[in-house]
Amino acid sequence: PTGQPESDPVKPNIVLINCDDLGYGDLGCYGSELHDTPALDALAADGALFTDFYMASPVCSPSRASMLTGSYPTRIGFGGRPMDNMGVLFPGHAVGLHPDEITIATMLSEAGYATLAVGKWHCGDQPDFLPTNHGFDEWFGLPYSNDMIPESGYPDLALLNNRDTFDLNPDQSLLTDRYTTEALEFIRQNQAGPFFLYVAHGMPHVPLFISDAFVQHSGQGDYADVVEEIDASV
C-alpha cells in the first residue's frame, strides 16, 4: 500500500562449488555410467541443468580470475607474459589479481554477506593477491595447484588459513574432507544468512589423492573414487 515502506528483499545464501578439471561427462546427471554421484544428480534434478557453459580460458589462473570478476583475462592482467603456459601462475610470481578488481565476493560483502573461500585459489600467491583482499572475510586452502609440490621442483606447499600457514606439505588425501569441514562450520556459524561460500576443490586435478574411506569406493579406479568423494562432500 502507498505510504508503507517496502520490505527488504530476500538475500539468498549462495554456495559456488568449483572442481578443478572435472569433466562434463563425469557426473551421472550428464550421462556418466562410471561414477555414482547421487548428491550432484539430486541438485540437477531439483534445479536447473545447464548443457552449455563457456569459460574465458581453459586453464586455472585466468579462468578463475575471470569467473570471479566477470572480466576477460587480458582485461585483468592474465593470459600473457610474464606468465607462461597460457597464463597459469606459478609459485612466487609477482603478479596476480589486483586488489582493486571487483569480485563477486566484493559485491556480496558490500551487500551484507558473510564470505568464505575454501580450497584452491590460484589467482596469485603474494599477500596482496590472496582471497582476503578480494572480498572474502576468510580463506582456507592452497594458493595454487596441488601438483606444484617439492617433488616436482617447487617450494614447500603451504595450506593457508587466511595468510597464516596452517600446514606445510599437507596430506592431500585429507583435503577434500578438510575443505568440507570448513565449509560446514561456516554454514553453521552463518545459518541466519546471508552468506556466500566459494568451495574450490583441488580434485580431480592430478596428482589424485583419495581419503581412506573412498579408496576403491567406486570399483572404477582412482579418478572415479575422487569424483565420488567430491559428490559425498556435496
Side-chain angles (χ1 to χ4, degrees):
T2 303
Q4 291 189 3
E6 294 183 3
S7 60
D8 291 335
V10 174
K11 295 179 178 179
N13 296 324
I14 302 169
V15 180
L16 173 60
I17 303 173
N18 183 18
C19 299
D20 199 349
D21 283 359
L22 186 69
Y24 180 97
D26 285 337
L27 307 179
C29 56
Y30 286 110
S32 176
E33 297 180 357
L34 297 177
H35 307 148
D36 186 21
T37 55
L40 288 164
D41 295 349
L43 285 179
D46 292 342
L49 180 68
F50 295 96
T51 55
D52 289 276
F53 181 79
Y54 300 90
M55 290 298 285
S57 171
V59 293
C60 297
S61 302
S63 65
R64 289 163 188 268
S66 182
M67 178 182 67
L68 291 168
T69 62
S71 300
Y72 284 112
T74 51
R75 149 73 179 76
I76 51 176
F78 286 79
R81 295 183 181 277
M83 296 174 283
D84 303 313
N85 193 21
M86 299 173 65
V88 173
L89 290 171
F90 289 87
H93 262 148
V95 290
L97 186 60
H98 194 281
D100 289 346
E101 295 296 342
I102 298 173
T103 69
I104 184 175
T106 305
M107 298 182 71
L108 290 173
S109 179
E110 292 175 352
Y113 278 67
T115 56
L116 170 68
V118 176
K120 175 181 172 179
W121 177 241
H122 216 170
C123 290
D125 65 352
Q126 302 305 303
D128 285 347
F129 309 134
L130 295 178
T132 48
N133 281 336
H134 288 292
F136 290 101
D137 300 327
E138 299 175 87
W139 171 52
F140 182 85
L142 299 179
Y144 35 74
S145 291
N146 72 321
D147 61 337
M148 296 177 181
I149 51 180
E151 291 87 337
S152 300
Y154 295 101
D156 288 332
L157 177 63
L159 176 63
L160 298 178
N161 184 16
N162 298 321
R163 295 188 180 190
D164 300 323
T165 298
F166 180 84
D167 197 0
L168 201 59
N169 299 317
D171 181 350
Q172 293 198 44
S173 69
L174 304 177
L175 286 183
T176 298
D177 184 64
R178 274 181 164 178
Y179 293 162
T180 306
T181 299
E182 292 292 324
L184 290 173
E185 182 59 27
F186 173 78
I187 291 171
R188 292 189 185 101
Q189 291 178 357
N190 296 280
Q191 58 187 300
F195 64 76
F196 171 50
L197 171 62
Y198 173 47
V199 182
H201 284 296
M203 300 293 137
H205 190 290
V206 293
L208 299 171
F209 293 92
I210 314 155
S211 71
D212 290 344
F214 284 87
V215 171
Q216 299 182 352
H217 183 271
S218 67
Q220 299 289 343
D222 290 351
Y223 189 92
D225 291 342
V226 166
V227 172
E228 294 190 4
E229 182 165 16
I230 289 171
D231 184 79
S233 165
V234 173

